[in-house]
Amino acid sequence: QVQLVESGGGLVQPGGSLRLSCAASGIISSINHMGWYRRQAPGKERELVARIFTTGSTNYADFVKGRFTISRDGAKNTVYLQMNSLKPEDTAVYYCNTYPFETRYWGQGTQVTVSS
């Protein structure tokens, strides 16, 4: 059974940083394309934030480019999202999943709130 558990969210001031983690079980993150997604409001569609391919190459949504970095640790089977220069509009629940996503893999996500 695949389980993706996100952690590391919290309340941070504008301009601050957070590092999100996604611990995977039942799936090997290094041999799957993986992505971070976010949902900014209930009922709104999740949007892709960043993805990392099995080759190690990465790709980012324009609204986070230059501020966020996706990475993974194969030994820990964990995917990370380093978020710098956070803005209030980055407030959302952040999720990890494969890319493209599998509906049955969605976890609880981790809440990120950017506010002064």
Side-chain angles (χ1 to χ4, degrees), residues 72-103:
R72 65 172 175 237
D73 183 331
K76 295 181 178 179
N77 207 19
T78 298
V79 181
Y80 303 98
L81 186 68
Q82 177 67 44
M83 306 188 296
N84 299 328
S85 302
L86 283 161
K87 304 176 181 180
E89 51 264 44
D90 293 320
T91 295
V93 179
Y94 285 74
Y95 305 84
C96 69
N97 203 320
T98 55
Y99 177 82
F101 65 81
E102 290 283 347
T103 300

Side-chain angles (χ1 to χ4, degrees), residues 49 59-68:
V49 174
N59 183 264
Y60 300 90
D62 286 344
F63 51 80
V64 303
K65 200 171 292 183
R67 300 188 296 123
F68 290 12

Side-chain angles (χ1 to χ4, degrees), residues 12-83:
V12 63
Q13 292 187 340
S17 298
L18 283 174
R19 188 196 195 202
L20 306 184
S21 299
C22 170
S25 60
I27 186 175
I28 301 174
S29 59
S30 61
I31 61 171
N32 285 273
H33 305 319
M34 298 295 295
W36 279 97
Y37 304 77
R38 71 185 188 188
R39 175 180 280 160
Q40 293 181 302
K44 190 175 178 180
E45 289 293 314
R46 290 183 183 94
E47 57 186 357
L48 179 66
V49 174
R51 50 188 171 172
I52 183 165
F53 298 97
T54 54
T55 58
S57 62
T58 58
N59 183 264
Y60 300 90
D62 286 344
F63 51 80
V64 303
K65 200 171 292 183
R67 300 188 296 123
F68 290 12
T69 303
I70 187 171
S71 63
R72 65 172 175 237
D73 183 331
K76 295 181 178 179
N77 207 19
T78 298
V79 181
Y80 303 98
L81 186 68
Q82 177 67 44
M83 306 188 296

